[in-house]
Amino acid sequence: MFNFNFFHKNLWEEFLRYKELQGLSKKYIIWLKTLFNHINNTDFLDLKNKKSFTLENCIAFLNYKSNWKNTSYNFYTKLLLVFLHYLINHYGIEDFTKKIPMRKVIRRVPKFYNTDELLEIFSSVKEEEEEKNVLLFFLYTWVRRDEFLHILPQDIKKDYIYIRNSKWGRDRVIPLHEELKKIKLIFPYEKSKLLKLLSKIQKDFKGFKFHNLRHTFSYNLKNSWCDIYDVSQLLWHKDISSTLAYSSLDVLGKKQKINRIKFDF
């Protein structure tokens, strides 16, 4: 539980109201509360005093957790920037946001499933039509697990799916693949059933993750000569550098290109 008695009441209520009007998701609110809880446990920033939010104090706060990995540091930095922009726009504090450094994160190559692996995964659910349909839904919509669990019946339209509570609190729209019109699923889908399915597949296929079905679709989309910017928009990436990671997986495509070069001696 979070205790916000320490927070300037009017400032917190204003900030929360402002973000709610922007359609901020409950998950994002929890993330912000976690940030404020960290701030309250240090002496660098005072949530009752906007003047305490200086460049020096913000950097000191972000560095106080020596055990934060670079990904965690960047995550909380982005959350802090959201709050700082609010203070800048509504209370006129100095804008030093561009001076707050982000840490370099080594991007891992996205894990995707090849045809043989997909056959093995689907063989785990070959006798259960509903479970097979769940996998197909993930594969053809490239949704994240939490997004899938938030889908409501009215979100499924004729030509698209409305996704609520997407990453970073943004709603988005996904084109409805023709193959999805052939399957039947009842929404909202029960989390317990999804976890049961995950456990079932992992017994036969170690390390299986629903998120890797998103990578699988993305990999195939990129290799179908879809423009990288279209792929980025479909995946709803904030930074196209995240999408470019799929280009590194296109070994066969690169092989075809280099084989076009020949030297005659």
Side-chain angles (χ1 to χ4, degrees):
M1 295 294 292
F2 296 96
N3 180 9
F4 282 92
N5 293 330
F6 60 84
F7 198 77
H8 188 287
K9 183 178 178 181
N10 292 334
L11 186 58
W12 164 247
E13 288 180 348
E14 261 186 41
F15 177 68
L16 180 58
R17 192 181 306 116
Y18 173 72
K19 299 312 292 184
E20 285 179 339
L21 286 173
Q22 290 185 324
L24 199 66
S25 68
K26 292 181 180 179
K27 179 185 288 188
Y28 205 120
I29 292 293
I30 292 174
W31 289 344
L32 285 169
K33 287 182 177 180
T34 305
L35 169 69
F36 293 141
N37 203 47
H38 281 304
I39 291 176
N40 190 45
N41 290 328
T42 72
D43 297 324
F44 303 112
L45 300 171
D46 183 0
L47 290 167
K48 295 180 181 179
N49 180 11
K50 59 181 180 292
K51 292 182 179 180
S52 69
F53 286 83
T54 63
L55 175 61
E56 182 181 358
N57 289 348
C58 287
I59 291 178
F61 160 70
L62 290 168
N63 288 319
Y64 96 99
K65 278 276 191 178
S66 57
N67 61 337
W68 270 355
K69 295 181 179 178
N70 288 356
T71 50
S72 297
Y73 171 92
N74 289 346
F75 174 75
Y76 284 110
T77 298
K78 290 177 181 178
L79 290 176
L80 179 60
L81 289 174
V82 172
F83 185 59
L84 288 175
H85 282 297
Y86 173 80
L87 295 179
I88 292 164
N89 294 328
H90 291 77
Y91 290 92
I93 72 166
E94 178 189 354
D95 186 356
F96 49 79
T97 52
K98 292 183 179 179
K99 297 179 181 179
I100 296 179
M102 301 290 283
R103 292 180 182 173
K104 186 176 181 180
V105 176
I106 299 175
R107 293 189 180 276
R108 297 180 179 178
V109 175
K111 168 62 182 175
F112 70 96
Y113 301 126
N114 59 35
T115 302
D116 290 338
E117 289 173 323
L118 284 175
L119 287 173
E120 187 177 347
I121 291 168
F122 274 85
S123 67
S124 302
V125 298
K126 60 183 178 181
E127 297 179 1
E128 297 292 338
E129 191 67 21
E130 180 183 317
E131 293 178 342
K132 178 183 176 182
N133 287 344
V134 169
L135 291 178
L136 286 172
F137 194 93
F138 272 96
L139 195 56
Y140 282 116
T141 61
W142 59 96
V143 292
R144 300 175 178 90
R145 190 175 73 173
D146 286 348
E147 293 171 348
F148 176 79
L149 293 171
H150 280 95
I151 294 175
L152 301 175
Q154 60 267 32
D155 296 331
I156 311 293
K157 308 297 183 182
K158 180 181 178 181
D159 297 310
Y160 66 89
I161 304 170
Y162 190 82
I163 302 297
R164 305 172 186 275
N165 298 313
S166 185
K167 191 174 182 180
W168 298 108
R170 302 174 298 172
D171 292 352
R172 60 193 175 100
V173 171
I174 290 178
L176 186 64
H177 197 288
E178 288 299 316
E179 291 296 320
L180 288 181
K181 297 179 180 180
K182 304 175 185 178
I183 70 173
K184 292 183 180 180
L185 281 175
I186 298 176
F187 291 101
Y189 201 80
E190 296 178 23
K191 185 175 181 179
S192 59
K193 291 169 66 175
L194 192 64
L195 293 177
K196 183 178 178 181
L197 173 58
L198 177 64
S199 217
K200 178 180 179 179
I201 297 174
Q202 286 179 341
K203 287 181 181 178
D204 298 323
F205 193 92
K206 301 297 182 183
F208 170 79
K209 293 181 180 180
F210 288 112
H211 196 81
N212 289 342
L213 294 176
R214 171 180 167 87
H215 293 321
T216 301
F217 182 88
S218 307
Y219 167 74
N220 283 278
L221 188 64
K222 173 64 179 65
N223 288 349
S224 297
W225 306 107
C226 184
D227 184 88
I228 190 68
Y229 292 98
D230 288 337
V231 176
S232 184
Q233 289 181 340
L234 286 168
L235 295 178
W236 212 250
H237 282 160
K238 290 185 71 175
D239 189 339
I240 197 170
S241 63
S242 300
T243 319
L244 289 171
Y246 295 103
S247 297
S248 65
L249 301 175
D250 186 15
V251 178
L252 293 179
K254 290 184 174 71
K255 182 179 179 181
Q256 291 176 355
K257 290 177 181 178
I258 65 172
N259 284 338
R260 294 173 187 169
I261 301 174
K262 293 183 179 181
F263 299 97
D264 295 324
F265 294 101

